[in-house]
Amino acid sequence: MTTTVPASTFETPLKFAYWVPNVSGGLVVSTIEQRTDWQLPYNSRLAKIAEDSGFEYALTQTRYAASYGADKQHEASAFSLALLGATERLRVIAAFHPGMWHPGVLAKWLITADHLSGGRAAVNIVSGWLKDEFVNFGLDWLEHDERYVRTEEFIRALRGLLTEDGYTQDGKYYSIDGFTLNPKPVDVPGRPHPEIFFGGNSTAAQATAGRVADWYFSNGRTLEGYEENVAGVLASAARAGRSPRFGLNGFVIARESRQEAEDTLREIVAKAHRPAVEGFKQSVQEAGASTNDGKGMWADSSFEDLVQYNDGFKTRLIGTPEEIADRIIEYKKIGVNLLLTCYLHFQEEVAAFGRDVMPIVREKEKDLARAHGTELNTDLLPIAPGVSAEEAAAATAETLPADHPAKAGVAA
């Protein structure tokens, strides 16, 4: 399969994001040491480290019921506001479920968050896979493809309310009668409204993304698997006359040698919390099998894949900084515009990624652009003062709570 990649992809620098660890247990379901914490002091410092290291986005995940090794979680919209208040340039994406929020209420929240942050708020609309969260709240649970019908209506209503006066929509799930929200979002050059992200690997998700999303997020995928996802979204977008951008999840293990990185991956999997992973596997693969064509998210994920709950190992950002940069460029060649990353030790490793991996990526992007008859637009690169290894380690020591399991092993 060959995907036609627009010239703008080669001219525009890749954007980098990170998962906000606002749930306990880190981003892998394993007993391996993770010098990461779910509370605000750690996350506020992490957000500053990220924006100073060249990251442009952070994604705050949404959960309500304790699940999959995370017995504590902070609500995404409130936590995102706190991170926006702690930063100056970072754009924070808060995740929301249709069926739990009304698009009009979310639009009002988003406009306010956008004004409070000077135009840095964004949202990720997730259709939801955890049935218990809906059923135990007494909310309607829809089967897989029908959830995407509701999600598409939700996003159409959200965008309409953000941008139009007297917005009207008569749908199956949302009916809005001539409603106007004021003020409108902040007027940011080149941005018609706060960005709307949306994700999913299924055929229904790809079709929905092409019709209504600004950004399409995918779970971790191989090069071949991701190219298939991109093709599905582009086909839907072409029919709708749209041009969404593309993001991909990946778990980063950057070490001095490939052997060290692979050893870390093996240790993560060897120390996996097997009952939690097996329980998650059963839940999500039943959900994936419920799609019309059996191609739902996690439908082909192995036990090892699911130790990182968004299939981050599949992307294979594992090795030396040079090897990881090479892998990232291969994804850019097939249309990736943004990499959503996660780590074992967030503060130290986000800083290290900005210091050791991003500069190599930027040089390779310049070569890639020239190979396609254009130049990388370096005017679009974010300002990144940089964070030293010592600063990142000290920040970790200061922001981990006293009773954190990793506290004793963090260098001061």
Side-chain angles (χ1 to χ4, degrees), residues 75-106:
E75 192 275 328
S77 65
F79 211 74
S80 295
L81 284 177
L83 297 183
L84 286 166
T87 52
E88 298 174 357
R89 301 178 303 280
L90 191 71
R91 283 173 269 186
V92 181
I93 312 161
F96 296 90
H97 287 109
M100 292 189 180
W101 285 70
H102 186 280
V105 175
L106 177 54

Side-chain angles (χ1 to χ4, degrees), residues 106-355:
L106 177 54
K108 192 64 175 176
W109 177 90
L110 180 53
I111 291 169
T112 300
D114 205 45
H115 280 266
L116 292 176
S117 64
R120 294 186 289 123
V123 293
N124 183 38
I125 307 304
V126 289
S127 296
W129 60 267
L130 185 54
K131 184 176 181 179
D132 286 352
E133 287 191 327
F134 286 81
V135 172
N136 294 344
F137 271 159
L139 300 171
D140 291 337
W141 174 251
L142 306 178
E143 290 308 316
H144 182 277
D145 287 11
E146 192 64 19
R147 293 200 297 275
Y148 287 96
V149 173
R150 177 172 65 185
T151 296
E152 182 166 341
E153 282 192 21
F154 186 99
I155 294 175
R156 289 186 186 280
L158 175 63
R159 178 178 285 111
L161 289 163
L162 290 173
T163 59
E164 298 180 26
D165 291 335
Y167 181 73
T168 295
Q169 177 173 313
D170 185 15
K172 183 176 181 179
Y173 294 100
Y174 302 104
S175 294
I176 298 165
D177 185 12
F179 210 93
T180 298
L181 291 176
N182 277 313
K184 292 295 186 284
V186 175
D187 184 7
V188 176
R191 187 196 75 164
H193 53 74
E195 293 160 297
I196 300 172
F197 291 75
F198 164 82
N201 285 11
S202 68
T203 301
Q206 293 170 25
T208 300
R211 288 191 293 264
V212 296
D214 299 325
W215 286 90
Y216 168 73
F217 265 147
S218 171
N219 265 12
R221 301 285 280 171
T222 63
L223 286 163
E224 297 77 15
Y226 193 75
E227 193 168 16
E228 180 181 345
N229 281 22
V230 170
V233 176
L234 286 175
S236 172
R239 291 189 291 270
R242 304 186 67 254
S243 301
R245 289 175 287 176
F246 294 88
L248 172 67
N249 178 61
F251 192 91
V252 178
I253 306 177
R255 301 293 185 267
E256 291 185 2
S257 69
R258 168 171 283 278
Q259 184 65 53
E260 185 182 355
E262 295 286 358
D263 287 347
T264 300
L265 174 60
R266 281 191 288 272
E267 184 182 0
I268 292 170
V269 176
K271 293 180 177 179
H273 189 299
R274 185 162 289 274
V277 178
E278 291 288 2
F280 180 70
K281 181 178 181 181
Q282 181 178 354
S283 296
V284 300
Q285 293 189 333
E286 284 176 359
S290 71
T291 64
N292 287 336
D293 55 9
K295 293 183 179 180
M297 193 176 287
W298 300 292
D300 61 351
S301 299
S302 67
F303 177 91
E304 176 178 311
D305 295 330
L306 294 173
V307 175
Q308 202 292 302
Y309 44 79
N310 286 99
D311 280 340
F313 300 149
K314 283 186 178 180
T315 309
R316 298 299 299 173
L317 302 182
I318 298 165
T320 65
E322 182 85 26
E323 290 169 331
I324 291 171
D326 283 336
R327 183 72 171 174
I328 289 170
I329 292 298
E330 291 305 307
Y331 280 104
K332 182 168 184 176
K333 288 178 182 178
I334 58 172
V336 171
N337 307 112
L338 179 151
L339 271 170
L340 173 60
T341 59
C342 44
Y343 310 82
L344 269 184
H345 314 304
F346 268 76
Q347 289 185 353
E348 301 101 302
E349 294 194 53
V350 161
F353 188 91
R355 184 183 64 246

Side-chain angles (χ1 to χ4, degrees), residues 18 20-24 36-48 60 73-87 92 347 395 398-401:
Y18 73 93
V20 174
N22 59 305
V23 302
S24 62
T36 294
D37 189 63
W38 64 291
Q39 296 276 34
L40 183 59
Y42 179 93
N43 274 283
S44 294
R45 183 61 188 134
L46 171 60
K48 285 294 296 177
T60 308
Q73 53 275 318
H74 284 303
E75 192 275 328
S77 65
F79 211 74
S80 295
L81 284 177
L83 297 183
L84 286 166
T87 52
V92 181
Q347 289 185 353
E398 292 172 2
T399 54
L400 286 179

